[in-house]
Amino acid sequence: MGNAAAAAHDSPRPTMTIRIYTVDRHGRIISDRGTVDVRPAAVLPVRDVWAPCACPKCRVETGGELVDSIDRNHAAAPVDLNTMRETVGILLDSKGAPAGPAPSGAELETLTATLRGHLDVLMPEVERLTVALPENSTLRYCALACLGEARDRLRVEPSPRYGGPAGHARRLARVLNALCDHHEQLACTSRHKQPGGGPR
Protein backbone atom coordinates (compact mmCIF):
# COMPACT_ATOMS: atom_id res chain seq x y z
CA MET A 1 0.00 0.00 0.00
CA GLY A 2 1.45 3.39 -1.01
CA ASN A 3 1.83 6.34 1.30
CA ALA A 4 -1.11 8.20 -0.24
CA ALA A 5 -3.34 5.13 -0.02
CA ALA A 6 -2.25 4.52 3.58
CA ALA A 7 -3.01 8.11 4.53
CA ALA A 8 -6.45 7.90 2.95
CA HIS A 9 -7.08 4.63 4.75
CA ASP A 10 -5.98 6.00 8.14
CA SER A 11 -7.84 9.31 7.92
CA PRO A 12 -11.08 9.29 9.94
CA ARG A 13 -14.25 9.21 7.90
CA PRO A 14 -17.13 11.59 8.64
CA THR A 15 -19.46 10.07 11.23
CA MET A 16 -22.21 12.62 10.64
CA THR A 17 -23.14 15.25 8.07
CA ILE A 18 -25.31 18.17 9.16
CA ARG A 19 -26.62 21.31 7.55
CA ILE A 20 -26.60 24.35 9.83
CA TYR A 21 -29.15 27.07 9.22
CA THR A 22 -31.50 29.43 11.07
CA VAL A 23 -35.19 29.87 10.35
CA ASP A 24 -37.57 32.66 11.29
CA ARG A 25 -40.91 32.19 13.02
CA HIS A 26 -42.53 31.38 9.68
CA GLY A 27 -40.08 28.62 8.84
CA ARG A 28 -38.14 30.63 6.25
CA ILE A 29 -34.37 30.15 6.16
CA ILE A 30 -32.72 33.47 7.10
CA SER A 31 -29.11 32.29 7.34
CA ASP A 32 -27.39 29.20 6.01
CA ARG A 33 -23.91 28.02 7.04
CA GLY A 34 -24.00 25.11 4.60
CA THR A 35 -23.23 21.43 5.12
CA VAL A 36 -20.59 20.33 7.61
CA ASP A 37 -18.93 16.92 7.92
CA VAL A 38 -18.33 15.97 11.55
CA ARG A 39 -15.24 13.80 11.86
CA PRO A 40 -14.02 11.95 14.94
CA ALA A 41 -11.07 13.62 16.64
CA ALA A 42 -7.92 11.52 16.53
CA VAL A 43 -6.57 13.22 19.66
CA LEU A 44 -8.73 15.19 22.05
CA PRO A 45 -7.29 18.61 22.98
CA VAL A 46 -5.96 18.87 26.51
CA ARG A 47 -6.05 22.23 28.27
CA ASP A 48 -4.83 23.10 31.75
CA VAL A 49 -6.66 26.43 31.99
CA TRP A 50 -10.22 27.57 31.54
CA ALA A 51 -11.22 30.07 28.89
CA PRO A 52 -11.81 33.65 30.12
CA CYS A 53 -15.28 34.01 31.58
CA ALA A 54 -17.80 36.18 29.69
CA CYS A 55 -20.40 36.53 32.45
CA PRO A 56 -21.55 40.09 33.35
CA LYS A 57 -19.77 39.92 36.75
CA CYS A 58 -16.39 39.18 35.17
CA ARG A 59 -16.87 41.77 32.44
CA VAL A 60 -17.39 44.46 35.10
CA GLU A 61 -14.38 43.32 37.15
CA THR A 62 -12.14 43.32 34.07
CA GLY A 63 -13.19 46.83 33.03
CA GLY A 64 -15.86 45.69 30.59
CA GLU A 65 -13.33 44.43 28.04
CA LEU A 66 -14.19 41.21 26.27
CA VAL A 67 -11.12 39.25 25.23
CA ASP A 68 -11.14 37.99 21.64
CA SER A 69 -10.39 34.47 22.85
CA ILE A 70 -13.81 34.34 24.53
CA ASP A 71 -15.53 34.67 21.16
CA ARG A 72 -13.23 32.05 19.66
CA ASN A 73 -13.94 29.61 22.46
CA HIS A 74 -17.67 30.19 22.24
CA ALA A 75 -17.58 29.69 18.46
CA ALA A 76 -15.84 26.34 18.91
CA ALA A 77 -17.96 25.18 21.85
CA PRO A 78 -20.19 22.14 21.28
CA VAL A 79 -23.13 23.96 22.93
CA ASP A 80 -24.36 26.92 20.88
CA LEU A 81 -26.59 28.76 23.36
CA ASN A 82 -27.23 31.64 20.94
CA THR A 83 -28.69 29.33 18.30
CA MET A 84 -30.75 27.53 20.94
CA ARG A 85 -32.20 30.81 22.17
CA GLU A 86 -32.93 31.91 18.61
CA THR A 87 -34.97 28.73 18.20
CA VAL A 88 -36.79 29.41 21.47
CA GLY A 89 -37.51 32.96 20.27
CA ILE A 90 -39.56 31.64 17.36
CA LEU A 91 -42.16 30.44 19.88
CA LEU A 92 -41.66 32.53 23.01
CA ASP A 93 -41.00 36.16 23.84
CA SER A 94 -38.48 37.36 26.41
CA LYS A 95 -40.97 36.73 29.24
CA GLY A 96 -41.78 33.19 28.16
CA ALA A 97 -45.18 34.04 26.69
CA PRO A 98 -46.21 32.89 23.20
CA ALA A 99 -44.55 35.04 20.54
CA GLY A 100 -47.53 35.24 18.22
CA PRO A 101 -49.08 32.34 16.31
CA ALA A 102 -46.90 29.22 16.17
CA PRO A 103 -45.95 27.67 12.82
CA SER A 104 -48.13 24.79 11.71
CA GLY A 105 -47.85 21.54 9.78
CA ALA A 106 -44.41 20.55 8.54
CA GLU A 107 -42.84 23.78 9.82
CA LEU A 108 -43.97 23.03 13.37
CA GLU A 109 -42.75 19.44 13.08
CA THR A 110 -39.32 20.66 11.98
CA LEU A 111 -39.20 23.22 14.79
CA THR A 112 -40.19 20.61 17.38
CA ALA A 113 -37.51 18.23 16.11
CA THR A 114 -34.97 21.07 16.34
CA LEU A 115 -35.95 21.77 19.95
CA ARG A 116 -35.62 18.09 20.81
CA GLY A 117 -32.20 18.00 19.16
CA HIS A 118 -31.06 21.03 21.15
CA LEU A 119 -32.19 19.34 24.37
CA ASP A 120 -30.35 16.15 23.45
CA VAL A 121 -27.14 18.19 23.08
CA LEU A 122 -27.58 20.47 26.09
CA MET A 123 -28.85 18.07 28.76
CA PRO A 124 -25.65 15.98 29.06
CA GLU A 125 -23.56 19.15 29.31
CA VAL A 126 -25.74 20.57 32.08
CA GLU A 127 -25.65 17.24 33.91
CA ARG A 128 -21.85 17.06 33.60
CA LEU A 129 -21.48 20.49 35.18
CA THR A 130 -24.12 19.77 37.82
CA VAL A 131 -22.66 16.55 39.27
CA ALA A 132 -19.44 18.39 40.12
CA LEU A 133 -21.29 20.58 42.64
CA PRO A 134 -21.73 19.67 46.33
CA GLU A 135 -24.85 17.64 47.06
CA ASN A 136 -26.27 20.39 49.28
CA SER A 137 -25.87 23.04 46.55
CA THR A 138 -29.04 24.96 45.69
CA LEU A 139 -27.76 25.43 42.14
CA ARG A 140 -27.30 21.66 41.80
CA TYR A 141 -30.83 20.98 43.11
CA CYS A 142 -32.43 23.48 40.71
CA ALA A 143 -30.47 22.23 37.69
CA LEU A 144 -31.34 18.58 38.44
CA ALA A 145 -35.01 19.51 38.80
CA CYS A 146 -34.89 21.25 35.42
CA LEU A 147 -33.22 18.19 33.86
CA GLY A 148 -35.98 16.00 35.26
CA GLU A 149 -38.61 18.28 33.75
CA ALA A 150 -36.81 18.21 30.40
CA ARG A 151 -36.83 14.39 30.38
CA ASP A 152 -40.54 14.43 31.15
CA ARG A 153 -41.19 16.86 28.29
CA LEU A 154 -39.28 14.65 25.88
CA ARG A 155 -41.22 11.54 26.91
CA VAL A 156 -44.74 12.91 26.47
CA GLU A 157 -46.62 13.31 23.20
CA PRO A 158 -48.66 16.36 22.13
CA SER A 159 -52.16 16.38 23.62
CA PRO A 160 -55.21 18.37 22.42
CA ARG A 161 -55.93 19.03 26.10
CA TYR A 162 -52.72 21.03 26.46
CA GLY A 163 -52.59 22.98 23.22
CA GLY A 164 -51.77 20.19 20.78
CA PRO A 165 -48.45 20.19 18.86
CA ALA A 166 -47.98 23.95 19.29
CA GLY A 167 -48.43 23.76 23.06
CA HIS A 168 -46.02 20.83 23.20
CA ALA A 169 -43.40 22.76 21.24
CA ARG A 170 -43.74 25.79 23.54
CA ARG A 171 -43.22 23.61 26.61
CA LEU A 172 -40.07 22.18 25.02
CA ALA A 173 -38.93 25.74 24.28
CA ARG A 174 -39.49 26.85 27.89
CA VAL A 175 -37.48 24.01 29.39
CA LEU A 176 -34.74 24.51 26.77
CA ASN A 177 -34.53 28.19 27.68
CA ALA A 178 -34.30 27.32 31.39
CA LEU A 179 -31.50 24.84 30.70
CA CYS A 180 -29.60 27.49 28.72
CA ASP A 181 -29.75 29.72 31.81
CA HIS A 182 -28.57 26.85 34.03
CA HIS A 183 -25.69 26.05 31.67
CA GLU A 184 -24.46 29.66 31.72
CA GLN A 185 -24.59 29.82 35.51
CA LEU A 186 -23.00 26.39 35.99
CA ALA A 187 -20.20 27.11 33.53
CA CYS A 188 -19.46 30.42 35.24
CA THR A 189 -19.42 28.74 38.67
CA SER A 190 -17.15 25.98 37.40
CA ARG A 191 -14.65 28.46 35.96
CA HIS A 192 -14.49 30.45 39.18
CA LYS A 193 -13.75 27.29 41.20
CA GLN A 194 -10.66 26.49 39.12
CA PRO A 195 -7.21 27.88 40.03
CA GLY A 196 -6.72 30.96 37.86
CA GLY A 197 -10.18 30.45 36.34
CA GLY A 198 -11.50 33.93 37.00
CA PRO A 199 -11.27 37.07 39.10
CA ARG A 200 -11.37 36.68 42.85
Side-chain angles (χ1 to χ4, degrees), residues 55-105:
C55 73
K57 175 177 180 292
C58 291
R59 291 190 190 189
V60 171
E61 293 184 359
T62 56
E65 295 181 0
L66 186 59
V67 183
D68 290 340
S69 61
I70 294 177
D71 291 331
R72 291 196 297 271
N73 281 307
H74 281 192
V79 175
D80 188 346
L81 297 182
N82 289 334
T83 298
M84 292 180 182
R85 286 200 165 107
E86 286 176 4
T87 305
V88 170
I90 298 172
L91 291 168
L92 305 175
D93 63 18
S94 59
K95 297 181 179 180
S104 59

Side-chain angles (χ1 to χ4, degrees), residues 66-143:
L66 186 59
V67 183
D68 290 340
S69 61
I70 294 177
D71 291 331
R72 291 196 297 271
N73 281 307
H74 281 192
V79 175
D80 188 346
L81 297 182
N82 289 334
T83 298
M84 292 180 182
R85 286 200 165 107
E86 286 176 4
T87 305
V88 170
I90 298 172
L91 291 168
L92 305 175
D93 63 18
S94 59
K95 297 181 179 180
S104 59
E107 293 179 3
L108 182 57
E109 290 180 6
T110 300
L111 180 57
T112 302
T114 302
L115 291 166
R116 296 177 70 91
H118 286 329
L119 286 168
D120 287 339
V121 170
L122 184 58
M123 288 169 63
E125 289 298 309
V126 171
E127 188 167 20
R128 178 181 63 81
L129 293 169
T130 300
V131 297
L133 296 176
E135 292 187 1
N136 62 349
S137 167
T138 302
L139 181 57
R140 174 189 174 112
Y141 175 83
C142 293

